[in-house]
Amino acid sequence: MITRPSDNLAAAFARLGGDDEEQVWSDLWDDLCHLNCVDDDSFLALAYLAAVAAGRAPGAPHEAVSMAGLIVSAADGEQTARHAEEIAVFLRTARRLLGETGGDTPAFVHLLQGIVAFEGERVWSTGRLEGLFTEEYEVDCPACSSTLFVAFGEYGDFASAGDYVTSDPVKAAPLPADPTALDPLPARLHRMATEAGQEKVAYGLTCLFGRATCPDCQEVFAVSDQVLETY
């Protein structure tokens, strides 16, 4: 007898709500979104994830919404239309959960990415906001191609030409954007972070959508442009 992918999914989701739920989610992430990659089989999970997100099936709604956000971020027009009902469920749940993350910055950022994915954004919903909780972006200088780390957090705020954790590279001060001058999407994300009390995320957004100076050649560049080139 041939086992269909949907049969495997049904069996996996049926295990949620038990003592090994954390492992079940880990396995689902590996199977459906390995290394943040999505394929056609991943979309088969949306109906199951919507049931979890809506509370109609056991499991953690925030996990369901985060996974669905990554899957939906890869959807084309036909897939978006086909799964419109599930996407509406995810969007409602993500908006509700956003204010309940407390100090869990990764959970907040994943929900933020999910919300923009469910609303149809396909550029900043594909993992490119995750540097907001790792507090750095690794990019290349557009002028001299030096590998740079644009950091904003525990180790300070700077652009460094090399690993700043294991060595002491040359650094340049960041040039964060003025929150009042951000484009509509970054401005909205900044406002949502501020309203949720996620001050580190809000500041990180000004760095992501601001500018930085290459310590090697002094080139000033838009950080977000280089993030799009790299991620």
Side-chain angles (χ1 to χ4, degrees), residues 89-177:
V89 171
F90 297 136
L91 182 56
R92 288 195 299 271
T93 303
R95 286 172 173 167
R96 174 176 60 81
L97 293 175
L98 194 66
E100 301 176 7
T101 54
D104 191 340
T105 302
F108 178 83
V109 172
H110 283 136
L111 286 170
L112 205 61
Q113 287 187 150
I115 287 173
V116 296
F118 305 141
E119 293 176 340
E121 165 63 32
R122 295 293 179 264
V123 175
W124 293 103
S125 62
T126 56
R128 292 184 174 123
L129 295 180
E130 293 179 6
L132 296 174
F133 64 77
T134 62
E135 299 182 339
E136 68 170 22
Y137 282 97
E138 182 178 354
V139 300
D140 291 333
C141 171
C144 71
S145 299
S146 289
T147 297
L148 308 177
F149 289 92
V150 179
F152 40 89
E154 177 183 355
Y155 292 93
D157 305 334
F158 51 79
S160 71
D163 188 348
Y164 55 89
V165 177
T166 60
S167 61
D168 187 21
V170 178
K171 301 174 183 176
L175 302 168

Side-chain angles (χ1 to χ4, degrees), residues 178-199:
D178 180 346
T180 64
L182 290 169
D183 288 340
L185 177 61
R188 182 183 174 220
L189 296 176
H190 184 273
R191 183 171 63 254
M192 293 168 75
T194 301
E195 291 173 351
Q198 293 282 347
E199 295 179 2

